[in-house]
Amino acid sequence: MEGVHDEPIDPFSGDPADPAADLESVSEDDDELEPLSAAERQDVLEDLADLEIYQALLTPVGIRGLVIECEDCHEPHYFDWDLLRGNLKHLLSSGRPRVHEPAYDPDPDHYVTWEYARGYADGVHDTLAEGSDEEG
Ligand SMILES: [Zn+2]
């Protein structure tokens, strides 16, 4: 069994409830893959840029990633920074989001929302801006 390890390990592999299983078999036949519009790509690129900032600011205070309310199942899903970045890059390259690959058994204390991260980054930015304001 050599040469079969070039695909990423699927955490749902062998799980009959694997939400990706149906998606892949169905979508490749009849769904024409729509590329992202320029505006959508720009949004994703901005999210990626924000993500870099949030990760840099929040990792030192013990935050491992973001919690996102899922539009499909209306449950919060917890994503590590690396997973988020991977998902956004996947969205850029494939035109569709990855579904349901949240962190395994996450500790909610270590995840914050986009809104919290944005507010935190704004707060840090304001503090820095005030500091450099003094000579003006
Ligand atoms: Zn979900």
Side-chain angles (χ1 to χ4, degrees):
M1 294 291 280
E2 284 182 23
V4 294
H5 296 296
D6 40 351
E7 295 208 32
I9 294 168
D10 182 353
F12 295 103
S13 189
D15 182 347
D18 181 356
D22 282 344
L23 256 171
E24 278 173 11
S25 54
V26 174
S27 62
E28 285 181 6
D29 289 336
D30 34 7
D31 264 346
E32 196 59 31
L33 205 57
E34 293 282 337
L36 295 180
S37 69
E40 285 168 336
R41 285 185 68 87
Q42 189 58 37
D43 277 352
V44 176
L45 288 170
E46 283 172 11
D47 280 353
L48 269 170
D50 285 346
L51 197 61
E52 295 292 333
I53 296 166
Y54 302 160
Q55 181 175 10
L57 291 175
L58 290 165
T59 299
V61 297
I63 301 303
R64 293 175 192 163
L66 299 179
V67 53
I68 294 169
E69 177 86 11
C70 179
E71 292 177 11
D72 292 329
C73 61
H74 301 286
E75 302 259 340
H77 290 326
Y78 299 89
F79 295 94
D80 288 341
W81 300 117
D82 287 347
L83 202 55
L84 280 163
R85 188 160 31 242
N87 283 356
L88 287 172
K89 286 181 175 170
H90 178 81
L91 182 57
L92 271 183
S93 62
S94 75
R96 65 174 64 221
R98 275 191 197 160
V99 197
H100 291 137
E101 286 194 53
Y104 176 73
D105 196 18
D107 182 343
D109 288 349
H110 294 289
Y111 297 82
V112 298
T113 61
W114 277 104
E115 286 72 25
Y116 177 94
R118 188 175 297 125
Y120 191 93
D122 284 350
V124 171
H125 183 266
D126 287 349
T127 306
L128 294 176
E130 278 169 27
S132 61
D133 224 24
E134 284 171 16
E135 40 184 301

